[in-house]
Amino acid sequence: MRSMGLRDLGRRLKASVEQLDDERLQERFAGLRLSKINEVQPRQPMRVGGEVQRVKITPRSGVPTFEITVCDGTGDLTAVFTGRRHLAGVEHSRAIILEGVARTERGRTVVLNPAYTLLPTHEH
């Protein structure tokens, strides 16, 4: 048992910060019966979870939109909420589950106006 811990420590010391963060995210969303973001197919219903990595307010066809980029350790996805400038509780590093139909837009996976569920904050 102890040698397994030392092996894991050695592996973790050699891993990059990005690799460790990806592993942490994958572990955080394991067991929730979610699809991995890197496996989402365009025009198919999907249910994914991840942490909010980016928040942006931008106009789309003259209408304000609230955009969040979510990462689960396998990839990232952008959720676009049209006509919104804010969603209560949605902020950087918050865990969220998104449900909807994704599409590819300018080389990125996007879902318009998804249903969402905020997960409890992670206490350290």
Side-chain angles (χ1 to χ4, degrees):
M1 184 107 163
R2 184 167 185 212
S3 65
M4 186 64 167
L6 291 176
R7 243 182 294 168
D8 185 52
L9 176 62
R11 182 192 59 74
R12 292 180 72 79
L13 289 173
K14 294 175 188 171
S16 72
V17 172
E18 291 83 13
Q19 289 170 322
L20 293 173
D21 197 43
D22 287 347
E23 286 178 18
R24 178 188 64 79
L25 287 170
Q26 290 175 46
E27 288 172 11
R28 183 169 186 189
F29 297 99
L32 296 177
R33 293 204 248 148
L34 303 169
S35 298
K36 293 178 181 176
I37 290 176
N38 69 343
E39 295 175 353
V40 168
Q41 296 296 314
R43 298 187 305 253
Q44 298 293 316
M46 56 105 215
R47 182 173 184 260
V48 299
E51 280 185 4
V52 177
Q53 301 289 312
R54 200 169 326 139
V55 176
K56 183 166 84 169
I57 301 167
T58 183
R60 237 179 207 246
S61 303
V63 176
T65 61
F66 184 73
E67 293 187 10
I68 60 172
T69 302
V70 174
C71 180
D72 71 351
T74 69
D76 57 37
L77 174 136
T78 300
V80 177
F81 300 90
T82 56
R84 305 292 299 259
R85 294 181 193 272
H86 174 11
L87 288 173
V90 176
E91 57 193 26
H92 192 266
S93 297
R94 184 69 189 258
I96 191 169
I97 294 174
L98 301 170
E99 297 180 64
V101 177
R103 66 184 195 188
T104 303
E105 189 177 282
R106 286 184 253 141
R108 61 187 186 152
T109 305
V110 175
V111 60
L112 294 175
N113 299 311
Y116 67 95
T117 304
L118 296 174
L119 296 176
T121 57
H122 219 44
E123 297 297 324
H124 295 287

